[in-house]
Structures are given as structure tokens and as C-alpha cells.
Amino acid sequence: MGLSLPHGGHLTHGWKVSYTGKFFNSVQYELDPATGRLDYNKIADLAKQHKPKIIISGSSAYPRAIDFKAFDEIAKSVGAFHVSDIAHIAGLVAGGAHQSPIPFADVVTTTTHKSLRGPRGGMILFKEQHAAAVNKAVFPGLQGGPHIHTISALAVCLGEALTPAFKAYAAQIVTNARKLAEKLMEYGFNLVSGGTDNHLILIDLRNKNLSGKPLAKALDRAHLECNYNSVPGDTAPPFNPSGLRLGTPATTTRGMKEPQMELIAGWIKTVAENIDNETVIKKVAGEVDALCKQFPVKESFV
Ligand SMILES: Cc1ncc(COP(=O)(O)O)c(C=O)c1O
């Protein structure tokens, strides 16, 4: 049982086109349509009804804090294992800006290249009693030789995650996302759940008469990177959905703070209002480049 893809879950949480949805009998939970948030009572009811063997917490496009303790209680109440996929928020968890699932989940999985800011890869963390099963599933079950170069880069990443500078980075990611969300709402953008508690913002563009793909492409031409994304209740197809997903880890890594988030929100508004006006879009691209020059990517951020 996992969060449905259009409601912010990941393909691998049992969505029908992924092998996790093809090989297994998968039940998907959804967000509360009124609040755009997880409804733990409904998830508990669904778990009682379907008795899943595994309940997955975690998401790809959910802008709110996740209560891992509540998920664990639900899993325990039906005898399920609780697997938590913190791919998106691992940096926030490591930096103390989001509740950690480690005390609550049987298994925690994460990618290492999102907010954790490491090399492309993944980690599986587990309670001792699952060691034999997980290790056997990885090797010889799924994986060949270890990628030593990635492991050494990951060691550097995890070393950085222990520093006070990383803690500050994690906190600033959330502060920046909140500021960006606040300004976007001021400009009349509808945000799923009405804001954010983490690193990401999901804009529902339906009130703007715009769809995600052309706006994401126009923002790309303005040198602002984001992705077009489905929103809960979306009737548009996934390849041209009604939403836009933004995140603050990259700009935060460059040292940008609240004043720069205000600029970015203003540029998003300008591009959204001038989606076919290449002169305006080019002007924004120049301003974005100038800002990035003031906040260059450095060799080390700690
Ligand atoms: C929750 C979650 N899990 C796993 C993944 C897999 O990450 P990747 O495709 O980068 O390996 C993603 C990526 O979007 C994700 O959001």
C-alpha cells in the first residue's frame, strides 16, 4: 500500500505501470481532497480493509510534513511492515528539519542525490531483524558489483551532512520554500495544501488557465528549472498535467535566501503572464543569469 502517483506518491510505491504495481497487488491511498493532506484515519481504514503486507510512507510531490509515527501505528495495527521512502526529504531528515522515520519504520530507503546532496545512488537502512532478508535481496537478488566510486562520494556527502553548515542548509531550504510559497500565493497561484512544510511546492495551475508543460518549458527558456507534475484530482494527462513542482535545495545550496526567493516568485509570475512573449522571457533569463553569477556553485558548501 502506497501513496497514489497523482497524489504525490512515487511510481515504485505500487503505481500500476511500475513493476511494483504489476508484480504485487497494490492498494493506493490518496490525499484528502478538501485539505490536500494525508488523512491518517482514511489510511488506517484502508489498511484494515485490505491488510497489506507492506505500507509505504514517503512521497515525490507532497509539500507537507509526514507523520512517520502515525504510519508505523497503522502498519503495526494490521501486522504490516512499514517501509519509509525518504528520497526527497533525506537532507531535511539528516539536517534535523523534518521528523526522522528511523525510530518508526522497519526499513527506510532513500536516494542520495536529492536534498541529501550526494552522488546518484541509494541507501537501504533497516532494523537488525531484517538484515539477512534485505542483504540477500540486494545481493545476489538484484545487484552486481558495488560501485566503489559512488560509495566514496557518498561517504563525503554523509560527512558533510554531519556538519553545522548542513543543518543550516536544511533549515534554510524550508525557510526558502515557505517564502517562495508565500509570494506565489500573493500572486494568486493555488498551492496544493495551501503551502509547504518542506523543500517543495506544488502549484495547481487550473485557476490560471495554464497547463504545466508549456509553463515549465517557458520557465526553462527563462533559465528557471522546475518540472510539470500532476496535481491531486487532475483530469489532464500525466504528459501534460495541470501542475508545476518547484524545489529549493539547489538555490539554497548556492546560498540564496528569502530576498532571492521573492525575485524568483516574481519571475515565475512574469513568465506565467507572458508565456508566448520571447522578449520578456529572454529578459528574465538575463536577470536569472545575473543572480546566479552572484551565487556561484562552489566546490564545497561546508
Ligand atoms: C520518493 C522517491 N523514491 C525514489 C525515487 C527514485 O529516484 P531516482 O529515479 O532518482 O533513482 C524518487 C525519484 O523521483 C522519489 O521521488
Side-chain angles (χ1 to χ4, degrees), residues 31 34-37 61-65 174-186 189-204 244-246:
L31 302 183
T35 61
R37 291 178 187 242
Y62 182 61
R64 293 298 181 174
V174 178
T175 305
N176 282 350
R178 289 215 166 114
K179 175 52 80 180
L180 187 56
E182 179 194 310
K183 291 308 284 182
L184 289 169
M185 286 190 291
E186 247 177 69
F189 287 100
N190 267 347
L191 305 191
V192 172
S193 83
T196 180
D197 298 326
N198 57 24
H199 62 302
L200 79 83
I201 291 164
L202 193 55
I203 306 178
D204 184 336
L244 210 59
R245 185 177 62 156
L246 315 167

Side-chain angles (χ1 to χ4, degrees), residues 8-13 57-61 85-88 109-111 113-114 120-122 245:
H10 191 251
L11 282 164
T12 54
H13 298 179
S57 62
S59 64
S60 291
D85 177 355
I86 57 165
H88 260 258
T109 62
T110 182
T111 54
H113 47 273
K114 297 188 174 78
R120 239 174 202 279
R245 185 177 62 156

Side-chain angles (χ1 to χ4, degrees), residues 95-296:
H98 190 291
Q99 183 194 45
S100 170
I102 302 284
F104 307 114
D106 293 285
V107 176
V108 176
T109 62
T110 182
T111 54
T112 46
H113 47 273
K114 297 188 174 78
S115 58
L116 191 58
R117 215 169 54 180
R120 239 174 202 279
M123 290 195 290
I124 306 171
L125 307 123
F126 44 80
K127 299 254 191 290
E128 188 61 35
Q129 69 261 34
H130 303 302
V134 174
N135 283 331
K136 205 169 145 207
V138 172
F139 186 84
L142 291 162
Q143 191 177 286
H147 297 188
I148 300 295
H149 59 302
T150 307
I151 295 169
S152 53
L154 179 55
V156 174
C157 155
L158 296 178
E160 288 190 355
L162 292 170
T163 61
F166 194 92
K167 232 180 186 340
Y169 153 73
Q172 190 66 44
I173 285 174
V174 178
T175 305
N176 282 350
R178 289 215 166 114
K179 175 52 80 180
L180 187 56
E182 179 194 310
K183 291 308 284 182
L184 289 169
M185 286 190 291
E186 247 177 69
Y187 295 143
F189 287 100
N190 267 347
L191 305 191
V192 172
S193 83
T196 180
D197 298 326
N198 57 24
H199 62 302
L200 79 83
I201 291 164
L202 193 55
I203 306 178
D204 184 336
L205 293 164
R206 286 177 289 190
N207 70 323
K208 294 269 183 194
N209 235 356
L210 280 168
S211 58
K213 189 171 180 177
L215 180 54
K217 298 264 179 207
L219 288 167
D220 178 62
R221 296 199 298 284
H223 300 177
L224 292 160
E225 297 310 318
C226 60
N227 84 293
Y228 48 95
N229 211 94
S230 294
V231 289
D234 211 338
T235 48
F239 292 105
N240 188 20
S242 306
L244 210 59
R245 185 177 62 156
L246 315 167
T248 52
T251 46
T252 306
T253 292
R254 298 179 83 121
M256 295 185 195
K257 294 202 165 133
E258 294 94 310
Q260 290 74 44
M261 296 305 117
E262 294 194 14
L263 287 175
I264 292 168
W267 288 325
I268 292 171
K269 171 182 184 284
T270 302
V271 173
E273 287 168 355
N274 294 277
I275 195 161
D276 296 318
N277 186 334
E278 293 308 317
T279 311
V280 171
I281 290 174
K282 211 165 166 202
K283 182 168 175 284
V284 172
E287 289 167 5
V288 172
D289 291 353
L291 181 72
C292 287
K293 285 212 179 85
Q294 285 174 46
F295 293 90

